[in-house]
PDB file of all heavy atoms in Angstrom:
ATOM      1  N   HIS A   1      67.150 -52.798  28.106  1.00 91.00           N
ATOM      2  CA  HIS A   1      68.236 -52.209  28.873  1.00 91.00           C
ATOM      3  C   HIS A   1      67.726 -51.111  29.810  1.00 91.00           C
ATOM      4  O   HIS A   1      67.363 -50.033  29.357  1.00 91.00           O
ATOM      5  CB  HIS A   1      69.302 -51.631  27.946  1.00 91.00           C
ATOM      6  CG  HIS A   1      69.874 -52.652  27.014  1.00 91.00           C
ATOM      7  ND1 HIS A   1      70.721 -53.654  27.435  1.00 91.00           N
ATOM      8  CD2 HIS A   1      69.705 -52.838  25.693  1.00 91.00           C
ATOM      9  CE1 HIS A   1      71.048 -54.409  26.401  1.00 91.00           C
ATOM     10  NE2 HIS A   1      70.438 -53.942  25.332  1.00 91.00           N
ATOM     11  N   ILE A   2      67.717 -51.412  31.083  1.00 93.00           N
ATOM     12  CA  ILE A   2      67.359 -50.449  32.116  1.00 93.00           C
ATOM     13  C   ILE A   2      68.620 -50.185  32.921  1.00 93.00           C
ATOM     14  O   ILE A   2      69.299 -51.118  33.339  1.00 93.00           O
ATOM     15  CB  ILE A   2      66.255 -51.006  33.054  1.00 93.00           C
ATOM     16  CG1 ILE A   2      65.016 -51.429  32.268  1.00 93.00           C
ATOM     17  CG2 ILE A   2      65.917 -50.001  34.145  1.00 93.00           C
ATOM     18  CD1 ILE A   2      64.259 -50.311  31.600  1.00 93.00           C
ATOM     19  N   PHE A   3      68.939 -48.910  33.144  1.00 94.00           N
ATOM     20  CA  PHE A   3      70.092 -48.570  33.968  1.00 94.00           C
ATOM     21  C   PHE A   3      69.623 -48.368  35.405  1.00 94.00           C
ATOM     22  O   PHE A   3      68.812 -47.505  35.686  1.00 94.00           O
ATOM     23  CB  PHE A   3      70.784 -47.290  33.479  1.00 94.00           C
ATOM     24  CG  PHE A   3      72.041 -46.970  34.236  1.00 94.00           C
ATOM     25  CD1 PHE A   3      73.266 -47.358  33.747  1.00 94.00           C
ATOM     26  CD2 PHE A   3      71.999 -46.277  35.436  1.00 94.00           C
ATOM     27  CE1 PHE A   3      74.432 -47.075  34.438  1.00 94.00           C
ATOM     28  CE2 PHE A   3      73.148 -45.992  36.139  1.00 94.00           C
ATOM     29  CZ  PHE A   3      74.373 -46.392  35.644  1.00 94.00           C
ATOM     30  N   ARG A   4      70.111 -49.198  36.275  1.00 91.00           N
ATOM     31  CA  ARG A   4      69.908 -49.037  37.722  1.00 91.00           C
ATOM     32  C   ARG A   4      71.289 -49.173  38.319  1.00 91.00           C
ATOM     33  O   ARG A   4      71.914 -50.221  38.210  1.00 91.00           O
ATOM     34  CB  ARG A   4      68.955 -50.099  38.270  1.00 91.00           C
ATOM     35  CG  ARG A   4      68.607 -49.883  39.734  1.00 91.00           C
ATOM     36  CD  ARG A   4      67.493 -50.808  40.176  1.00 91.00           C
ATOM     37  NE  ARG A   4      67.887 -52.192  40.228  1.00 91.00           N
ATOM     38  CZ  ARG A   4      68.397 -52.791  41.308  1.00 91.00           C
ATOM     39  NH1 ARG A   4      68.575 -52.125  42.424  1.00 91.00           N
ATOM     40  NH2 ARG A   4      68.733 -54.064  41.256  1.00 91.00           N
ATOM     41  N   ASP A   5      71.778 -48.113  38.918  1.00 79.00           N
ATOM     42  CA  ASP A   5      73.189 -48.054  39.274  1.00 79.00           C
ATOM     43  C   ASP A   5      73.688 -49.198  40.144  1.00 79.00           C
ATOM     44  O   ASP A   5      74.844 -49.559  40.091  1.00 79.00           O
ATOM     45  CB  ASP A   5      73.555 -46.711  39.886  1.00 79.00           C
ATOM     46  CG  ASP A   5      72.779 -46.375  41.134  1.00 79.00           C
ATOM     47  OD1 ASP A   5      71.982 -47.214  41.594  1.00 79.00           O
ATOM     48  OD2 ASP A   5      72.960 -45.270  41.652  1.00 79.00           O
ATOM     49  N   LYS A   6      72.840 -49.828  40.887  1.00 70.00           N
ATOM     50  CA  LYS A   6      73.260 -50.964  41.707  1.00 70.00           C
ATOM     51  C   LYS A   6      73.786 -52.092  40.820  1.00 70.00           C
ATOM     52  O   LYS A   6      74.706 -52.796  41.192  1.00 70.00           O
ATOM     53  CB  LYS A   6      72.051 -51.448  42.523  1.00 70.00           C
ATOM     54  CG  LYS A   6      72.391 -52.339  43.662  1.00 70.00           C
ATOM     55  CD  LYS A   6      72.728 -51.500  44.857  1.00 70.00           C
ATOM     56  CE  LYS A   6      72.725 -52.356  46.099  1.00 70.00           C
ATOM     57  NZ  LYS A   6      73.260 -51.675  47.227  1.00 70.00           N
ATOM     58  N   ASP A   7      73.196 -52.248  39.643  1.00 51.00           N
ATOM     59  CA  ASP A   7      73.573 -53.330  38.738  1.00 51.00           C
ATOM     60  C   ASP A   7      74.571 -52.906  37.676  1.00 51.00           C
ATOM     61  O   ASP A   7      75.373 -53.701  37.216  1.00 51.00           O
ATOM     62  CB  ASP A   7      72.325 -53.855  37.998  1.00 51.00           C
ATOM     63  CG  ASP A   7      71.310 -54.462  38.946  1.00 51.00           C
ATOM     64  OD1 ASP A   7      71.711 -54.971  40.001  1.00 51.00           O
ATOM     65  OD2 ASP A   7      70.115 -54.418  38.608  1.00 51.00           O
ATOM     66  N   GLU A   8      74.501 -51.659  37.233  1.00 45.00           N
ATOM     67  CA  GLU A   8      75.204 -51.255  36.029  1.00 45.00           C
ATOM     68  C   GLU A   8      76.552 -50.570  36.252  1.00 45.00           C
ATOM     69  O   GLU A   8      77.337 -50.469  35.333  1.00 45.00           O
ATOM     70  CB  GLU A   8      74.321 -50.297  35.218  1.00 45.00           C
ATOM     71  CG  GLU A   8      73.010 -50.893  34.775  1.00 45.00           C
ATOM     72  CD  GLU A   8      73.160 -51.963  33.723  1.00 45.00           C
ATOM     73  OE1 GLU A   8      74.166 -51.973  32.995  1.00 45.00           O
ATOM     74  OE2 GLU A   8      72.270 -52.824  33.635  1.00 45.00           O
ATOM     75  N   LEU A   9      76.810 -50.066  37.461  1.00 48.00           N
ATOM     76  CA  LEU A   9      78.044 -49.310  37.655  1.00 48.00           C
ATOM     77  C   LEU A   9      79.262 -50.220  37.711  1.00 48.00           C
ATOM     78  O   LEU A   9      79.285 -51.189  38.459  1.00 48.00           O
ATOM     79  CB  LEU A   9      77.979 -48.479  38.948  1.00 48.00           C
ATOM     80  CG  LEU A   9      77.078 -47.272  38.886  1.00 48.00           C
ATOM     81  CD1 LEU A   9      77.082 -46.557  40.225  1.00 48.00           C
ATOM     82  CD2 LEU A   9      77.483 -46.306  37.797  1.00 48.00           C
ATOM     83  N   PRO A  10      80.283 -49.895  36.938  1.00 44.00           N
ATOM     84  CA  PRO A  10      81.512 -50.669  37.005  1.00 44.00           C
ATOM     85  C   PRO A  10      82.314 -50.262  38.239  1.00 44.00           C
ATOM     86  O   PRO A  10      82.027 -49.245  38.869  1.00 44.00           O
ATOM     87  CB  PRO A  10      82.255 -50.245  35.729  1.00 44.00           C
ATOM     88  CG  PRO A  10      81.781 -48.864  35.485  1.00 44.00           C
ATOM     89  CD  PRO A  10      80.336 -48.822  35.959  1.00 44.00           C
ATOM     90  N   ILE A  11      83.292 -51.039  38.580  1.00 44.00           N
ATOM     91  CA  ILE A  11      84.172 -50.663  39.680  1.00 44.00           C
ATOM     92  C   ILE A  11      85.141 -49.645  39.112  1.00 44.00           C
ATOM     93  O   ILE A  11      86.034 -49.968  38.336  1.00 44.00           O
ATOM     94  CB  ILE A  11      84.909 -51.893  40.239  1.00 44.00           C
ATOM     95  CG1 ILE A  11      83.886 -52.877  40.792  1.00 44.00           C
ATOM     96  CG2 ILE A  11      85.908 -51.485  41.299  1.00 44.00           C
ATOM     97  CD1 ILE A  11      84.462 -54.209  41.209  1.00 44.00           C
ATOM     98  N   THR A  12      84.915 -48.385  39.459  1.00 46.00           N
ATOM     99  CA  THR A  12      85.707 -47.293  38.910  1.00 46.00           C
ATOM    100  C   THR A  12      85.698 -46.128  39.886  1.00 46.00           C
ATOM    101  O   THR A  12      84.826 -46.041  40.745  1.00 46.00           O
ATOM    102  CB  THR A  12      85.145 -46.837  37.543  1.00 46.00           C
ATOM    103  OG1 THR A  12      85.930 -45.732  37.069  1.00 46.00           O
ATOM    104  CG2 THR A  12      83.714 -46.396  37.624  1.00 46.00           C
ATOM    105  N   SER A  13      86.623 -45.239  39.727  1.00 45.00           N
ATOM    106  CA  SER A  13      86.662 -44.060  40.583  1.00 45.00           C
ATOM    107  C   SER A  13      85.839 -42.926  39.987  1.00 45.00           C
ATOM    108  O   SER A  13      85.569 -41.942  40.648  1.00 45.00           O
ATOM    109  CB  SER A  13      88.106 -43.602  40.779  1.00 45.00           C
ATOM    110  OG  SER A  13      88.670 -43.295  39.527  1.00 45.00           O
ATOM    111  N   ASN A  14      85.411 -43.047  38.729  1.00 48.00           N
ATOM    112  CA  ASN A  14      84.681 -41.985  38.055  1.00 48.00           C
ATOM    113  C   ASN A  14      83.209 -42.345  37.906  1.00 48.00           C
ATOM    114  O   ASN A  14      82.710 -42.553  36.813  1.00 48.00           O
ATOM    115  CB  ASN A  14      85.302 -41.698  36.678  1.00 48.00           C
ATOM    116  CG  ASN A  14      84.661 -40.498  36.017  1.00 48.00           C
ATOM    117  OD1 ASN A  14      83.907 -39.750  36.630  1.00 48.00           O
ATOM    118  ND2 ASN A  14      84.950 -40.317  34.741  1.00 48.00           N
ATOM    119  N   LEU A  15      82.503 -42.420  39.046  1.00 52.00           N
ATOM    120  CA  LEU A  15      81.086 -42.778  39.010  1.00 52.00           C
ATOM    121  C   LEU A  15      80.259 -41.712  38.313  1.00 52.00           C
ATOM    122  O   LEU A  15      79.334 -42.033  37.577  1.00 52.00           O
ATOM    123  CB  LEU A  15      80.555 -42.996  40.424  1.00 52.00           C
ATOM    124  CG  LEU A  15      81.143 -44.178  41.182  1.00 52.00           C
ATOM    125  CD1 LEU A  15      80.501 -44.284  42.549  1.00 52.00           C
ATOM    126  CD2 LEU A  15      80.953 -45.463  40.409  1.00 52.00           C
ATOM    127  N   SER A  16      80.579 -40.440  38.529  1.00 73.00           N
ATOM    128  CA  SER A  16      79.758 -39.391  37.927  1.00 73.00           C
ATOM    129  C   SER A  16      79.842 -39.436  36.403  1.00 73.00           C
ATOM    130  O   SER A  16      78.854 -39.201  35.727  1.00 73.00           O
ATOM    131  CB  SER A  16      80.142 -38.012  38.459  1.00 73.00           C
ATOM    132  OG  SER A  16      81.470 -37.696  38.119  1.00 73.00           O
ATOM    133  N   GLY A  17      80.997 -39.765  35.839  1.00 82.00           N
ATOM    134  CA  GLY A  17      81.124 -39.879  34.384  1.00 82.00           C
ATOM    135  C   GLY A  17      80.292 -41.016  33.835  1.00 82.00           C
ATOM    136  O   GLY A  17      79.652 -40.887  32.791  1.00 82.00           O
ATOM    137  N   THR A  18      80.272 -42.137  34.533  1.00 85.00           N
ATOM    138  CA  THR A  18      79.476 -43.292  34.116  1.00 85.00           C
ATOM    139  C   THR A  18      77.993 -42.955  34.165  1.00 85.00           C
ATOM    140  O   THR A  18      77.243 -43.280  33.246  1.00 85.00           O
ATOM    141  CB  THR A  18      79.773 -44.501  35.041  1.00 85.00           C
ATOM    142  OG1 THR A  18      81.165 -44.770  34.986  1.00 85.00           O
ATOM    143  CG2 THR A  18      78.991 -45.718  34.623  1.00 85.00           C
ATOM    144  N   ILE A  19      77.569 -42.288  35.224  1.00 90.00           N
ATOM    145  CA  ILE A  19      76.158 -41.911  35.376  1.00 90.00           C
ATOM    146  C   ILE A  19      75.770 -40.895  34.309  1.00 90.00           C
ATOM    147  O   ILE A  19      74.706 -41.007  33.693  1.00 90.00           O
ATOM    148  CB  ILE A  19      75.879 -41.396  36.798  1.00 90.00           C
ATOM    149  CG1 ILE A  19      75.934 -42.586  37.762  1.00 90.00           C
ATOM    150  CG2 ILE A  19      74.540 -40.670  36.887  1.00 90.00           C
ATOM    151  CD1 ILE A  19      75.839 -42.236  39.226  1.00 90.00           C
ATOM    152  N   GLU A  20      76.615 -39.899  34.069  1.00 92.00           N
ATOM    153  CA  GLU A  20      76.319 -38.902  33.033  1.00 92.00           C
ATOM    154  C   GLU A  20      76.148 -39.564  31.667  1.00 92.00           C
ATOM    155  O   GLU A  20      75.222 -39.225  30.929  1.00 92.00           O
ATOM    156  CB  GLU A  20      77.438 -37.853  32.966  1.00 92.00           C
ATOM    157  CG  GLU A  20      77.414 -36.877  34.112  1.00 92.00           C
ATOM    158  CD  GLU A  20      78.549 -35.870  34.041  1.00 92.00           C
ATOM    159  OE1 GLU A  20      79.019 -35.546  32.927  1.00 92.00           O
ATOM    160  OE2 GLU A  20      78.966 -35.399  35.112  1.00 92.00           O
ATOM    161  N   GLU A  21      77.023 -40.488  31.342  1.00 93.00           N
ATOM    162  CA  GLU A  21      76.933 -41.180  30.052  1.00 93.00           C
ATOM    163  C   GLU A  21      75.651 -42.000  29.959  1.00 93.00           C
ATOM    164  O   GLU A  21      74.978 -42.007  28.931  1.00 93.00           O
ATOM    165  CB  GLU A  21      78.152 -42.093  29.853  1.00 93.00           C
ATOM    166  CG  GLU A  21      78.168 -42.737  28.493  1.00 93.00           C
ATOM    167  CD  GLU A  21      79.426 -43.554  28.249  1.00 93.00           C
ATOM    168  OE1 GLU A  21      80.500 -43.180  28.754  1.00 93.00           O
ATOM    169  OE2 GLU A  21      79.317 -44.563  27.539  1.00 93.00           O
ATOM    170  N   ALA A  22      75.288 -42.676  31.050  1.00 93.00           N
ATOM    171  CA  ALA A  22      74.057 -43.473  31.058  1.00 93.00           C
ATOM    172  C   ALA A  22      72.829 -42.574  30.911  1.00 93.00           C
ATOM    173  O   ALA A  22      71.886 -42.919  30.187  1.00 93.00           O
ATOM    174  CB  ALA A  22      73.963 -44.297  32.340  1.00 93.00           C
ATOM    175  N   LEU A  23      72.816 -41.428  31.567  1.00 95.00           N
ATOM    176  CA  LEU A  23      71.696 -40.489  31.444  1.00 95.00           C
ATOM    177  C   LEU A  23      71.584 -39.963  30.018  1.00 95.00           C
ATOM    178  O   LEU A  23      70.488 -39.859  29.472  1.00 95.00           O
ATOM    179  CB  LEU A  23      71.847 -39.334  32.431  1.00 95.00           C
ATOM    180  CG  LEU A  23      71.543 -39.674  33.880  1.00 95.00           C
ATOM    181  CD1 LEU A  23      72.121 -38.626  34.817  1.00 95.00           C
ATOM    182  CD2 LEU A  23      70.039 -39.816  34.093  1.00 95.00           C
ATOM    183  N   LEU A  24      72.699 -39.638  29.416  1.00 95.00           N
ATOM    184  CA  LEU A  24      72.718 -39.142  28.047  1.00 95.00           C
ATOM    185  C   LEU A  24      72.178 -40.183  27.075  1.00 95.00           C
ATOM    186  O   LEU A  24      71.475 -39.862  26.126  1.00 95.00           O
ATOM    187  CB  LEU A  24      74.146 -38.750  27.650  1.00 95.00           C
ATOM    188  CG  LEU A  24      74.350 -38.252  26.231  1.00 95.00           C
ATOM    189  CD1 LEU A  24      73.626 -36.929  26.007  1.00 95.00           C
ATOM    190  CD2 LEU A  24      75.830 -38.087  25.941  1.00 95.00           C
ATOM    191  N   ASN A  25      72.465 -41.463  27.344  1.00 95.00           N
ATOM    192  CA  ASN A  25      72.094 -42.547  26.445  1.00 95.00           C
ATOM    193  C   ASN A  25      70.807 -43.265  26.834  1.00 95.00           C
ATOM    194  O   ASN A  25      70.540 -44.362  26.354  1.00 95.00           O
ATOM    195  CB  ASN A  25      73.254 -43.548  26.341  1.00 95.00           C
ATOM    196  CG  ASN A  25      74.456 -42.933  25.677  1.00 95.00           C
ATOM    197  OD1 ASN A  25      74.329 -42.262  24.656  1.00 95.00           O
ATOM    198  ND2 ASN A  25      75.619 -43.115  26.258  1.00 95.00           N
ATOM    199  N   SER A  26      70.010 -42.651  27.699  1.00 96.00           N
ATOM    200  CA  SER A  26      68.735 -43.235  28.115  1.00 96.00           C
ATOM    201  C   SER A  26      67.581 -42.490  27.461  1.00 96.00           C
ATOM    202  O   SER A  26      67.605 -41.267  27.356  1.00 96.00           O
ATOM    203  CB  SER A  26      68.576 -43.160  29.636  1.00 96.00           C
ATOM    204  OG  SER A  26      69.544 -43.963  30.276  1.00 96.00           O
ATOM    205  N   GLU A  27      66.565 -43.246  27.030  1.00 94.00           N
ATOM    206  CA  GLU A  27      65.377 -42.627  26.437  1.00 94.00           C
ATOM    207  C   GLU A  27      64.500 -41.968  27.494  1.00 94.00           C
ATOM    208  O   GLU A  27      63.928 -40.919  27.259  1.00 94.00           O
ATOM    209  CB  GLU A  27      64.545 -43.677  25.712  1.00 94.00           C
ATOM    210  CG  GLU A  27      65.193 -44.228  24.468  1.00 94.00           C
ATOM    211  CD  GLU A  27      64.336 -45.316  23.856  1.00 94.00           C
ATOM    212  OE1 GLU A  27      63.157 -45.063  23.553  1.00 94.00           O
ATOM    213  OE2 GLU A  27      64.858 -46.440  23.695  1.00 94.00           O
ATOM    214  N   TYR A  28      64.357 -42.634  28.637  1.00 93.00           N
ATOM    215  CA  TYR A  28      63.492 -42.148  29.707  1.00 93.00           C
ATOM    216  C   TYR A  28      64.231 -42.109  31.026  1.00 93.00           C
ATOM    217  O   TYR A  28      65.162 -42.891  31.252  1.00 93.00           O
ATOM    218  CB  TYR A  28      62.259 -43.053  29.868  1.00 93.00           C
ATOM    219  CG  TYR A  28      61.282 -42.899  28.735  1.00 93.00           C
ATOM    220  CD1 TYR A  28      61.380 -43.693  27.607  1.00 93.00           C
ATOM    221  CD2 TYR A  28      60.269 -41.947  28.799  1.00 93.00           C
ATOM    222  CE1 TYR A  28      60.496 -43.550  26.548  1.00 93.00           C
ATOM    223  CE2 TYR A  28      59.379 -41.794  27.745  1.00 93.00           C
ATOM    224  CZ  TYR A  28      59.496 -42.596  26.628  1.00 93.00           C
ATOM    225  OH  TYR A  28      58.629 -42.440  25.591  1.00 93.00           O
ATOM    226  N   LEU A  29      63.786 -41.216  31.898  1.00 95.00           N
ATOM    227  CA  LEU A  29      64.252 -41.164  33.278  1.00 95.00           C
ATOM    228  C   LEU A  29      63.063 -41.522  34.157  1.00 95.00           C
ATOM    229  O   LEU A  29      62.000 -40.898  34.057  1.00 95.00           O
ATOM    230  CB  LEU A  29      64.764 -39.770  33.635  1.00 95.00           C
ATOM    231  CG  LEU A  29      65.178 -39.566  35.096  1.00 95.00           C
ATOM    232  CD1 LEU A  29      66.396 -40.431  35.441  1.00 95.00           C
ATOM    233  CD2 LEU A  29      65.478 -38.097  35.360  1.00 95.00           C
ATOM    234  N   ILE A  30      63.223 -42.536  34.984  1.00 94.00           N
ATOM    235  CA  ILE A  30      62.191 -42.935  35.928  1.00 94.00           C
ATOM    236  C   ILE A  30      62.673 -42.500  37.306  1.00 94.00           C
ATOM    237  O   ILE A  30      63.708 -42.969  37.784  1.00 94.00           O
ATOM    238  CB  ILE A  30      61.950 -44.454  35.898  1.00 94.00           C
ATOM    239  CG1 ILE A  30      61.496 -44.885  34.501  1.00 94.00           C
ATOM    240  CG2 ILE A  30      60.938 -44.861  36.972  1.00 94.00           C
ATOM    241  CD1 ILE A  30      61.438 -46.392  34.299  1.00 94.00           C
ATOM    242  N   VAL A  31      61.939 -41.573  37.938  1.00 93.00           N
ATOM    243  CA  VAL A  31      62.319 -41.059  39.250  1.00 93.00           C
ATOM    244  C   VAL A  31      61.428 -41.714  40.293  1.00 93.00           C
ATOM    245  O   VAL A  31      60.216 -41.529  40.289  1.00 93.00           O
ATOM    246  CB  VAL A  31      62.187 -39.524  39.315  1.00 93.00           C
ATOM    247  CG1 VAL A  31      62.613 -39.010  40.682  1.00 93.00           C
ATOM    248  CG2 VAL A  31      63.006 -38.863  38.209  1.00 93.00           C
ATOM    249  N   LEU A  32      62.047 -42.478  41.171  1.00 93.00           N
ATOM    250  CA  LEU A  32      61.333 -43.125  42.262  1.00 93.00           C
ATOM    251  C   LEU A  32      61.177 -42.099  43.377  1.00 93.00           C
ATOM    252  O   LEU A  32      62.154 -41.592  43.914  1.00 93.00           O
ATOM    253  CB  LEU A  32      62.119 -44.344  42.743  1.00 93.00           C
ATOM    254  CG  LEU A  32      61.494 -45.158  43.852  1.00 93.00           C
ATOM    255  CD1 LEU A  32      60.131 -45.683  43.444  1.00 93.00           C
ATOM    256  CD2 LEU A  32      62.409 -46.319  44.207  1.00 93.00           C
TER     257      LEU A  32
END
């Protein structure tokens, strides 16, 4: 499971909440 927002974001008005939750639940952050 890799989170890349192009693939993982649902159609929602609360993108920042979705991203925050994904960051909290990720083992690593890969910064390009």
Side-chain angles (χ1 to χ4, degrees):
H1 302 288
I2 304 293
F3 185 96
R4 186 171 69 90
D5 59 4
K6 196 86 165 170
D7 297 331
E8 300 291 336
L9 287 179
I11 298 172
T12 178
S13 60
N14 186 11
L15 294 181
S16 63
T18 302
I19 289 173
E20 286 179 29
E21 185 176 327
L23 285 162
L24 178 66
N25 294 315
S26 295
E27 291 177 56
Y28 288 90
L29 175 65
I30 300 171
V31 181
L32 182 59

